Amino acid sequence: LTDVGLGEFGRIARFFAPLARSLPGAFGLTDDGAVLDLGPGRRLVVTTDALVAGVHFVGDEPAGDVARKALRVNLSDLAAMGAEPVAYSLVTALPTSVDDGWVAGFADGLAADQAEFGILLSGGDSVATPGPITISITAMGAVGEAWLSRSGARVDDLVCVSGTIGDGALGLDVLRGRLALDSVDAAFLVDRYRRPRPRHRLGPALVGVASACIDISDGLLADLGHLAQASGVGARVWVDRLPLSPAAAAARERMAAFVDTRALAGGDDYELLFTVDPANRDKVLAIARALEVAVTEIGKVVVGAGVRAVAGDGTDVTPLSTGWRHG
Amino acid sequence: LTDVGLGEFGRIARFFAPLARSLPGAFGLTDDGAVLDLGPGRRLVVTTDALVAGVHFVGDEPAGDVARKALRVNLSDLAAMGAEPVAYSLVTALPTSVDDGWVAGFADGLAADQAEFGILLSGGDSVATPGPITISITAMGAVGEAWLSRSGARVDDLVCVSGTIGDGALGLDVLRGRLALDSVDAAFLVDRYRRPRPRHRLGPALVGVASACIDISDGLLADLGHLAQASGVGARVWVDRLPLSPAAAAARERMAAFVDTRALAGGDDYELLFTVDPANRDKVLAIARALEVAVTEIGKVVVGAGVRAVAGDGTDVTPLSTGWRHG
């Protein structure tokens, strides 16, 4: 394997070591590992997600967007556990065709997100591959004595969701030429696909308030299904209540069924989907106001198993395929 | 992407969830992440290594050996920091040509090593790739108030190494047809290449005794160079003192210079290379005896910078290339 640029050690020193500078226990990425002190009474929360070019991202995105998506899907998992971000370990497996400029842009994207989400690089590995660009991140966060799980939902709890739903999947539709919209709406949706907004402040704020939580990566109904199964309950979602962005609402005026299916079964939203005892409704609203995050009540937890989407007239409108699977 | 076997969710449930069964905070790999309690006063040590088929391993090894190597190179990094193993996160990026039987063998290898080294699977990700098999592991360990770093070596410290040196690189030579030996010696060396022995008990025992430590992955002189640079010192290694296995010694009878170069500059030993104040020599010997690990004094720390290999007659025999780099 030849490399006419900085080489892997050079890239680590030049592009990645600065991302670890503020973390004393990362030792400038020069030791065998990092040492992290979570503080007294804190537990570690750890989550890992990998992205492969051509499978999890299109492949021609700006390098900084690839970096940010890789980091943000992990930050979204930390948020779903109610954990505050601490540090992350990064593996880049890059073909030799990837030049130092791409790596520089990749590191710039990470630097921007580190500042936005309060997380620092602790270490990782940088390897060559004859295959496609593959990025793997293990994100570490911290919680106290309590955190959010998928398994605490109880019958009659409210089902709530943050932000708007369906934008990520619709953004991918725009990129793949399956959906034509005016340029402002199209750009908004593509940005939502490429740069999901992990709810890193909402998640920790919901600890002790929400009864169960998951982030929406596979699709609203699929992930609600995971939560319901873990909790031993069923759930209903009212389609008329789904929060849509103005861009998704504009698309829905022409293609209502298509957009509803994307909102219910599309993936890549990275919003938080959580259940809450009705007695805690006001607490949730206060948290949403304080954090300036939209939270919408979209359904309820019921006795039994499985999830169903219900229209305003009571019709069952659950899509046959309720979620997607990446490769 | 088609999959006629268990699929990724099925593989996780069937092969990987059992590896997490004894770790309550892994939630059976069904939540967004794992929650780990290191205990009061414990710090997290985290390290990450990735292996790519065709770059870091030959590619036709038994699946269990690939798994064990991926885990062990990380365990070796934890040992070099003086950390006790706790848990690890696993990313498998597999081409669709890899069948469930391969994954079963891979998981069996992990299960055997979990029992041997006292570490449990906490989670991870399982993705498809159009590229080669790519395995990434982030290993987590724990230390108390103190740990081992690369930067504490002082002038006149002894340079010590565990086990025997050069076997891993010679094993790769055997596999690549560059070295012919009788079948017992050849099998021994190949096994050392495929299944490195992380010093998971020696590392933690050296905390407070060794002044600096690193594991040998790039090669003895290269890794001693990293340690010396981090400590702001130089080092000398006495070639006559290098501990060789019987198989390596047999090879040396015919090819002395070749074997010496492998011992000095080959990689993949995964032994611990550490420095120690001469006043602590007896403590090191007592630890080595108690743990039944060979420890050999092979050199000393000197004023200045850089590392040199010296023969019995005082000749400088430092190879021109002191270490190797994986792709």
Side-chain angles (χ1 to χ4, degrees):
Chain A
L1 292 161
T2 59
D3 193 304
V4 295
L6 289 167
E8 276 154 29
F9 282 71
R11 284 177 173 179
I12 291 169
R14 171 90 165 269
F15 300 124
F16 295 119
L19 300 174
R21 196 172 284 146
S22 302
L23 188 68
F27 310 115
L29 306 188
T30 62
D31 217 306
D32 289 297
V35 179
L36 302 178
D37 188 353
L38 299 176
R42 304 287 280 170
R43 290 163 198 239
L44 172 71
V45 174
V46 57
T47 186
T48 299
D49 270 302
L51 303 183
V52 179
V55 180
H56 305 89
F57 58 101
V58 176
D60 59 358
E61 293 88 346
D65 282 353
V66 174
R68 298 173 83 150
K69 182 144 193 175
L71 188 54
R72 289 176 181 207
V73 298
N74 279 285
L75 287 164
S76 183
D77 282 322
L78 289 186
M81 306 280 291
E84 290 166 3
V86 173
Y88 66 101
S89 179
L90 168 71
V91 173
T92 59
L94 303 178
T96 50
S97 58
V98 169
D99 64 17
D100 290 342
W102 192 93
V103 181
F106 186 87
D108 284 346
L110 292 175
D113 270 13
Q114 289 190 183
E116 184 167 349
F117 298 105
I119 194 166
L120 293 166
L121 180 66
S122 62
D125 200 4
S126 172
V127 297
T129 179
I133 296 172
T134 303
I135 307 297
S136 176
I137 287 182
T138 294
M140 292 159 278
V143 293
E145 291 298 304
W147 60 87
L148 299 172
S149 78
R150 297 181 178 182
S151 59
R154 300 202 178 173
V155 172
D156 291 333
D157 279 358
L158 315 175
V159 175
C160 299
V161 70
S162 65
T164 57
I165 300 299
D167 297 329
L170 292 169
L172 184 57
D173 287 327
V174 170
L175 282 171
R176 296 211 164 143
R178 288 190 298 243
L179 177 65
L181 285 172
D182 77 59
S183 61
V184 172
D185 287 342
F188 171 84
L189 294 173
V190 167
D191 183 69
R192 287 276 293 164
Y193 171 72
R194 287 188 171 164
R195 297 191 186 181
R197 267 65 169 176
R199 299 301 185 177
H200 65 301
R201 293 187 300 159
L202 179 61
L206 290 174
V207 174
V209 177
S211 54
C213 186
I214 193 171
D215 70 319
I216 304 178
S217 54
D218 292 334
L220 174 63
L221 291 183
D223 288 311
L224 185 55
H226 296 149
L227 185 153
Q229 184 175 25
S231 299
V233 297
R236 298 288 173 270
V237 168
W238 307 306
V239 176
D240 296 352
R241 300 270 194 102
L242 295 183
L244 298 183
S245 67
R252 195 178 184 283
E253 286 177 17
R254 290 186 290 116
M255 310 163 72
F258 178 84
V259 171
D260 285 351
T261 300
R262 284 292 186 265
L264 289 168
D268 275 327
D269 286 315
Y270 300 102
E271 295 291 350
L272 293 185
L273 177 66
F274 57 97
T275 57
V276 57
D277 186 306
N280 281 342
R281 180 188 269 129
D282 288 348
K283 284 186 188 169
V284 171
L285 294 175
I287 290 167
R289 266 195 304 272
L291 299 180
E292 299 180 354
V293 175
V295 169
T296 308
E297 189 183 324
I298 62 164
K300 66 180 291 188
V301 177
V302 299
V303 174
V307 296
R308 294 275 157 219
V310 182
D313 62 2
T315 316
D316 184 331
V317 292
T318 311
L320 283 178
S321 171
T322 55
W324 69 334
R325 297 280 181 271
H326 300 284
Chain B
L1 292 162
T2 59
D3 192 304
V4 295
L6 288 167
E8 277 154 30
F9 282 72
R11 285 176 173 178
I12 291 169
R14 170 88 164 271
F15 300 124
F16 295 119
L19 300 174
R21 196 171 284 147
S22 303
L23 189 67
F27 311 115
L29 307 187
T30 61
D31 216 307
D32 290 297
V35 179
L36 302 179
D37 188 352
L38 299 176
R42 305 287 280 170
R43 290 164 199 239
L44 172 71
V45 174
V46 58
T47 185
T48 300
D49 270 303
L51 303 182
V52 179
V55 181
H56 305 89
F57 59 101
V58 178
D60 60 357
E61 292 88 346
D65 282 352
V66 175
R68 298 174 84 151
K69 182 145 193 175
L71 187 54
R72 288 175 183 207
V73 298
N74 279 285
L75 287 165
S76 184
D77 282 322
L78 288 185
M81 305 281 289
E84 291 167 1
V86 174
Y88 67 100
S89 180
L90 168 72
V91 174
T92 59
L94 303 178
T96 50
S97 58
V98 170
D99 63 16
D100 291 342
W102 193 95
V103 181
F106 186 87
D108 283 347
L110 293 175
D113 271 11
Q114 290 191 183
E116 183 167 350
F117 298 105
I119 194 167
L120 293 166
L121 180 67
S122 63
D125 201 3
S126 173
V127 298
T129 179
I133 296 173
T134 303
I135 308 297
S136 176
I137 287 182
T138 295
M140 292 160 277
V143 292
E145 291 298 305
W147 59 88
L148 299 172
S149 79
R150 297 181 178 181
S151 59
R154 300 203 178 171
V155 172
D156 291 332
D157 278 359
L158 316 175
V159 175
C160 300
V161 72
S162 64
T164 57
I165 299 298
D167 298 329
L170 292 169
L172 184 58
D173 288 327
V174 170
L175 282 172
R176 296 211 165 143
R178 288 191 296 244
L179 178 64
L181 285 173
D182 76 60
S183 60
V184 172
D185 287 343
F188 172 85
L189 294 172
V190 167
D191 183 70
R192 288 273 296 163
Y193 171 72
R194 287 189 171 163
R195 295 189 186 181
R197 268 65 170 174
R199 299 301 185 178
H200 66 300
R201 292 187 300 160
L202 179 61
L206 291 174
V207 174
V209 177
S211 55
C213 188
I214 191 170
D215 69 320
I216 304 177
S217 54
D218 292 335
L220 174 64
L221 290 183
D223 288 311
L224 184 56
H226 297 149
L227 184 153
Q229 184 175 24
S231 299
V233 296
R236 298 289 172 269
V237 169
W238 307 307
V239 176
D240 297 349
R241 300 270 195 103
L242 295 183
L244 297 183
S245 65
R252 195 179 184 282
E253 286 178 17
R254 290 187 290 118
M255 310 163 73
F258 179 83
V259 171
D260 284 350
T261 300
R262 284 291 186 266
L264 289 169
D268 275 328
D269 286 316
Y270 301 103
E271 295 291 351
L272 293 185
L273 177 66
F274 57 96
T275 57
V276 58
D277 187 306
N280 282 341
R281 181 189 269 132
D282 289 347
K283 284 186 188 170
V284 170
L285 294 175
I287 290 167
R289 265 194 306 273
L291 298 180
E292 300 180 353
V293 175
V295 169
T296 308
E297 189 183 324
I298 62 166
K300 65 180 294 190
V301 177
V302 300
V303 174
V307 296
R308 293 275 157 220
V310 182
D313 61 2
T315 317
D316 185 330
V317 293
T318 310
L320 283 177
S321 172
T322 55
W324 68 333
R325 296 279 181 269
H326 299 283

